[in-house]
Amino acid sequence: MPNKQNLNVKKRIMFNKDEDYYFITYNILVFLDILGCVSEKSKFLDYTKLSYIIPFISNHLLLDLIVDFSQTNHLPNNEEIELLRETYYKSRLKLKLVTSILFTLERNEYIALQKNLTRNTIDIWIRKDKIPESFFNPSLYRIEIEHTKKLREVSPRIRTLTVNTLLDQLFGNKGVTVWQV
Amino acid sequence: MASLMIRRVRYVGENYVYTSPELKPGLNIIEGKNGSGKTTFSDLISFGLGIYVRQYDRKEREIHKEICGDKDNYVLLEISIDDSKYELKRHLNNNTIFVSDTIGNVESYAVYRSESNPVIFSDWLLSKLKIEVVEIYQGSRKFKINFPDLYRLIHYDQDSIPRKIYKEHRTDNSFIADSLQIRKVIFELLIGHQFSEYHALVGDLNKLERERDTAKSLFNNYIKMAGDMGYDLSKITMDTVNIDLSSSNLELDKLQIYREDRKKLKYNSTQLDRQLIQLRTEIVHIERDYSVCQRTRRNVIVEHKSLLDLKEDIIREVTHLKKIISAHEELNLFSPNTCPCCLKRVERKENHCICGSTIDESQYEKFFYSSEEYLDILKSKQKSVDTIDIGINSCEEEMNEIGRKSLKLELARDNIRAHLKEIEKDISIYSNDNEVNRLNDEILLQKSKIQKLDQQRIILIKYTSLEEQFTEKKEDYNDLFRRITKLESSLKTIIEKQLKLFNVIYNNLMTETADDINKAVIDENYMPIINDGEYKQASTNVPKRFMYYLTLLKMSIDSDIPYPRFLLIDTPENLGIDNENLDRCLQKIVSETRIDVQFQVILTTGINKYPQEFKGYVRETLTEEDRLLKNKKME
């Protein structure tokens, strides 16, 4: 019994929201749904962008920094730059995880992935008909929906732009050094 | 009450003399032709009783030639009041009456009241007649009812207008003396018993009322004056003034002692330097404490902020967890049997890893969670929110504490700095003149404050005494007013009784005298109303007046009233009374009166103008040859 309890405590302590599969999953699904990437025509170019976008969709502090900057050209202070830098590194490290989650989703036919030879990227769209209807609960994902819309206002071409442009918009022009490999 | 009787009338002058026969109780008739001196006879009586007689006043136009032309002349009346006999002697042109009694005592009285003559003949006569001298206040003037006033209903003269009943008042511009109130009082005095006491009280009441009003206006004026001077007397009390005064005096003493002390003090540089060093050291200590305080504060603020951030993070994570649970339930993608590399579902043996090696379940480094486990995490997160809240609260408390402490330190620092500045200023002047000057100013201020308070006290004392006076007068007035009201009601019943009696006699006399009169009463002003006011023939006025006098006389004979049972009637037939009626009236009086009560009626009339049965009452007959005044020379 104590063994079992210890296991529970350990699991609880080891829990990391940012790396939780479901956390990444629902953020990607909701984001793509609101953006309207539901078919090949309106596919989301280059899935790697998603790894960087998720923190902004789930945390209003980060999103507010971007929105503030676009509206007032107000540069973030050191603390905020530090926060952005941290976000960038973590997102970069999570990229692998996101990739494997996306493959799982594709195998479950919740999404479709497609190689883009011209841009040398993998593009993505969701297959709404395969996803249980009850999943998209607007009141549950109210914040994510709101944040997606805000982000689209700040960066209207977010669906098609390259990962480099996006990284510059989110981090580079705020003083965070971006090193894309 | 008393009866007044004239026993003999004498006139003595250089040129003329007259001595009447002895007059008796009851009816006395002096008959004579016109111009033979009938009116002179009654005038002599009036003059002797201290009444103003116009014909004897040399300043008047129509004067009595013989008497006014005579020299060294006087009137001598022999009178009796009840059983006492007196002689009244009054010189013409002289307002003094000499009263001598049977033993030979002679007293002199002035006729008219003045400041040098407070007691006059009227007072003597009224006291003998047992009628009290009544003082009446009208407005601000005081008026005494004297015998001449009462005489207006005793002497039935020829000159007065019958309608007015009362004998005409001497026209000396005294409207008060002939006012309705006075006339009513005269009547009431003559028929009443206790009225004199009442009027005396009313007099007192009026006096008190004036005194009260004076006290009141004095009091009010004082309040106003004090108000003009800037004192609101309703707001200051003796107690507060006294307390202020004593505390101010104490303060003054302290200041003076302190100033003397300061004056003696010499500037001492060592002492001052030491003080300066001490103060500066204190400031350094305080500054150090203050900066420590500020540093701690900054730390606490940072801690507070990070706690708030943490709390927000956890709350956010809780919402995320809820969504994770929902996504898990909806999509059911991952389980412990999911390959961490390809994320595909694999068949796995218990206690074996996906790679095939044996492993304790708890030793996994990477976990997949069931819904239940997610919920556990959610709960633990919510719990940690509470813990963080406690931390936030204690941070806030600490911040408040630090705030208070630094405020205290700031105050102390400012105080010491101010103190230092003062001392430095003193040093620059190089003496303590500065402080002595300041003390002088304060002493001056204190002194003027004491002076003001003293003045306030004096004003308050005067105010209190005036207020007391006013209250006293007011109470006196109210007491008397109550007494009078009580007396008034009892008097009212008495006077109503007397008026009833008067009306019975008057009605009787009037209805029997004139055939066309069936009702005669007096109204509330004691004036006659005949046949309820319908009968207006002028000739009725004569019996109306005459019967009024007779009624009073008869009343005094029948019952004990102050009326002196004396009636002087001057030639009534000249006024148009027909003989028959007059006869009837006179007979009525004489016949119906009681023998045991002494009274006197003196009637001057024309020869044989009276009932034949009255022949025996004729005391003297005057003719043109035998006139009243006898010329000494001719004799």
Side-chain angles (χ1 to χ4, degrees), chain A residues 73-102:
Chain A
N73 259 352
H74 159 81
L75 265 178
N77 60 30
N78 287 340
E79 230 171 288
E80 288 163 342
I81 289 174
E82 191 52 46
L83 187 66
L84 282 173
R85 184 177 289 127
E86 201 185 340
T87 308
Y88 169 65
Y89 294 155
K90 277 185 178 172
S91 303
R92 181 72 187 77
L93 291 172
K94 255 181 352 203
L95 191 55
K96 239 185 120 182
L97 184 62
V98 170
T99 310
S100 42
I101 289 172
L102 284 179

Side-chain angles (χ1 to χ4, degrees), chain B residues 330-341:
Chain B
E330 293 290 343
L331 305 178
N332 196 16
L333 287 171
F334 313 102
S335 74
N337 298 334
T338 305
C339 169
C341 302

Side-chain angles (χ1 to χ4, degrees), chain A residues 3 7-8 10-12 14-15 17 19-23 25-26 29 58-61 79 100-101 104-105 107-108 110 131-132 134-135 140-141 143-144, chain B residues 305 312 316-317 320-321 323-324 326-328 330-334 340-344 360-369 373-374 376-377 380-381:
Chain A
N3 221 11
L7 175 70
N8 280 345
K10 189 178 177 189
K11 282 181 92 169
R12 202 157 67 218
M14 289 297 288
F15 175 77
K17 169 205 73 178
E19 288 173 12
D20 186 88
Y21 295 181
Y22 287 113
F23 175 72
T25 306
Y26 81 73
L29 291 181
S58 59
N59 188 342
H60 73 92
L61 286 178
E79 230 171 288
S100 42
I101 289 172
T104 311
L105 287 174
R107 201 170 40 251
N108 285 289
Y110 291 154
I131 301 170
S134 54
F135 172 79
L140 183 66
Y141 300 111
I143 292 167
E144 284 73 13
Chain B
K305 170 134 195 338
E312 204 187 318
R316 199 167 43 240
E317 221 173 304
H320 289 153
L321 265 167
K323 290 164 203 167
I324 286 168
S326 163
H328 171 67
E330 293 290 343
L331 305 178
N332 196 16
L333 287 171
F334 313 102
C341 302
C342 61
L343 294 177
K344 279 179 188 161
D360 188 359
E361 292 280 342
S362 60
Q363 281 176 337
Y364 273 125
E365 294 303 322
K366 179 73 197 167
F367 295 107
F368 295 97
Y369 297 89
E373 282 161 341
Y374 276 129
D376 263 358
I377 296 165
S380 79
K381 295 279 176 196

Side-chain angles (χ1 to χ4, degrees), chain B residues 188-409:
Chain B
E188 284 166 3
L189 265 179
L190 288 172
I191 67 160
H193 293 274
Q194 299 295 321
F195 298 116
S196 44
E197 188 200 341
Y198 170 69
H199 287 294
L201 283 179
V202 170
D204 286 350
L205 185 70
N206 283 329
K207 204 169 128 198
L208 276 176
E209 188 179 17
R210 277 191 305 134
E211 282 172 4
R212 182 200 64 183
D213 291 346
T214 313
K216 189 183 175 184
S217 70
L218 209 64
F219 178 60
N220 286 339
N221 283 342
Y222 194 79
I223 292 175
K224 192 175 173 293
M225 189 197 76
D228 289 346
M229 284 167 69
Y231 298 104
D232 187 353
L233 290 174
S234 62
K235 280 189 186 144
I236 48 177
T237 65
M238 198 52 117
D239 286 349
T240 56
V241 170
N242 280 337
I243 289 165
D244 282 357
L245 204 56
S246 62
S247 75
S248 293
N249 276 323
L250 199 70
E251 189 65 25
L252 182 65
D253 288 348
K254 273 190 203 161
L255 281 170
Q256 276 166 341
I257 291 166
Y258 186 62
R259 181 175 62 177
E260 289 315 304
D261 196 39
R262 286 286 102 178
K263 272 183 181 167
K264 283 177 205 152
L265 199 73
K266 292 272 161 28
Y267 172 69
N268 185 330
S269 80
T270 347
Q271 194 192 345
L272 203 68
D273 285 350
R274 206 178 299 140
Q275 200 182 357
L276 274 176
I277 288 164
Q278 193 197 338
L279 284 172
R280 280 176 185 148
T281 319
E282 266 178 57
I283 269 204
V284 168
H285 283 301
I286 287 172
E287 290 281 14
R288 199 187 51 206
D289 287 353
Y290 185 72
S291 76
V292 168
C293 230
Q294 291 306 98
R295 208 162 48 229
T296 324
R297 192 177 157 178
R298 273 195 298 278
N299 291 341
V300 175
I301 287 172
V302 169
E303 193 185 340
H304 186 246
K305 170 134 195 338
S306 47
L307 275 173
L308 283 177
D309 286 348
L310 185 61
K311 186 184 167 186
E312 204 187 318
D313 271 353
I314 291 176
I315 289 170
R316 199 167 43 240
E317 221 173 304
V318 166
T319 67
H320 289 153
L321 265 167
K322 283 177 187 163
K323 290 164 203 167
I324 286 168
I325 293 168
S326 163
H328 171 67
E329 281 166 0
E330 293 290 343
L331 305 178
N332 196 16
L333 287 171
F334 313 102
S335 74
N337 298 334
T338 305
C339 169
C341 302
C342 61
L343 294 177
K344 279 179 188 161
R345 190 170 280 274
V346 287
E347 290 301 321
R348 182 174 63 87
K349 274 188 196 164
E350 185 108 348
N351 286 336
H352 285 77
C353 178
I354 285 172
C355 66
S357 48
T358 20
I359 192 166
D360 188 359
E361 292 280 342
S362 60
Q363 281 176 337
Y364 273 125
E365 294 303 322
K366 179 73 197 167
F367 295 107
F368 295 97
Y369 297 89
S370 66
S371 291
E372 205 181 325
E373 282 161 341
Y374 276 129
L375 272 173
D376 263 358
I377 296 165
L378 185 71
K379 276 179 202 158
S380 79
K381 295 279 176 196
Q382 277 165 339
K383 215 182 249 170
S384 48
V385 170
D386 295 342
T387 318
I388 291 165
D389 270 342
I390 295 170
I392 289 171
N393 278 341
S394 74
C395 270
E396 277 165 1
E397 270 167 29
E398 201 176 341
M399 263 153 71
N400 286 340
E401 182 55 40
I402 291 165
R404 274 195 292 276
K405 199 174 161 191
S406 27
L407 202 69
K408 245 189 225 166
L409 288 169

